Amino acid sequence: MARNDGERAELALLLRRLTVELDAVGERFAKPHGLGRTDVRAVIAILDATRRGEPLTAGGLGAAVGLSSASVTALVDRLERAGHVHRVRDPADRRRVVLQMSEASMAAGAAFFGGLQRELVAAMDGFSDADLHVVRRWLTAMTEVVVAHT
């Protein structure tokens, strides 16, 4: 298959545009909820770990968002004071403390992002499962490049 560098460059620009737009959506949620950029990254890391069924410790959060132990402690303290996160004992190992989103924070996120999520899923209806598989592979590869770049 012939390589179309112009098309590839256009896809990179579209990815950047999507990233900028998603960042703006996150910002519109963050401000009224007293969250900064790092706070949002932390909340997403906790949510993603919860969805995977992998409770996240403060140390795991630090690794996920690239913060030192002291910075993570301050971050978690701030999120906890604001009512977004709770520290709870891990049911599998009571010696371990894991991070859990508060019900209020989960409800606020669902109310704000739920409509967007439904619209994104509806927009996928125009694509076959095979198309979506290729998109998943592509987005995974692009994410790996960005993570490695940082």
Side-chain angles (χ1 to χ4, degrees):
M1 212 173 358
R3 203 176 133 135
N4 184 337
D5 288 340
E7 181 69 18
R8 291 166 189 265
E10 182 65 24
L11 282 171
L13 292 173
L14 286 170
L15 180 59
R16 182 181 69 188
R17 179 175 173 212
L18 175 61
T19 302
V20 168
E21 294 301 328
L22 288 172
D23 188 56
V25 170
E27 182 93 10
R28 287 192 297 273
F29 174 77
K31 283 194 182 208
H33 294 283
L35 297 169
R37 183 178 298 266
T38 302
D39 301 337
V40 171
R41 289 181 60 219
V43 165
I44 290 169
I46 297 165
L47 288 171
D48 287 349
T50 301
R51 282 190 191 104
R52 289 189 309 268
E54 302 168 358
L56 193 63
T57 63
L61 178 61
V65 297
L67 292 176
S68 69
S69 179
S71 295
V72 170
T73 298
L75 169 66
V76 174
D77 286 348
R78 185 171 62 249
L79 291 173
E80 194 169 39
R81 276 193 309 275
H84 297 294
V85 171
H86 302 294
R87 289 174 170 106
V88 297
R89 295 273 174 210
D90 185 343
D93 181 352
R94 301 286 300 157
R95 297 168 296 175
R96 205 167 86 130
V97 174
V98 296
L99 304 172
Q100 185 177 74
M101 296 302 301
S102 71
E103 291 294 323
S105 191
M106 294 289 287
F112 186 87
F113 292 105
L116 176 59
Q117 176 70 13
R118 286 187 295 279
E119 290 172 27
L120 289 169
V121 169
M124 292 178 208
D125 286 345
F127 298 89
S128 69
D129 288 345
D131 291 339
L132 294 174
H133 178 74
V134 171
V135 171
R136 175 189 297 269
R137 282 183 36 232
W138 187 80
L139 286 173
T140 299
M142 297 302 104
T143 302
E144 289 170 359
V145 167
V146 170
V147 169
H149 183 72
T150 57

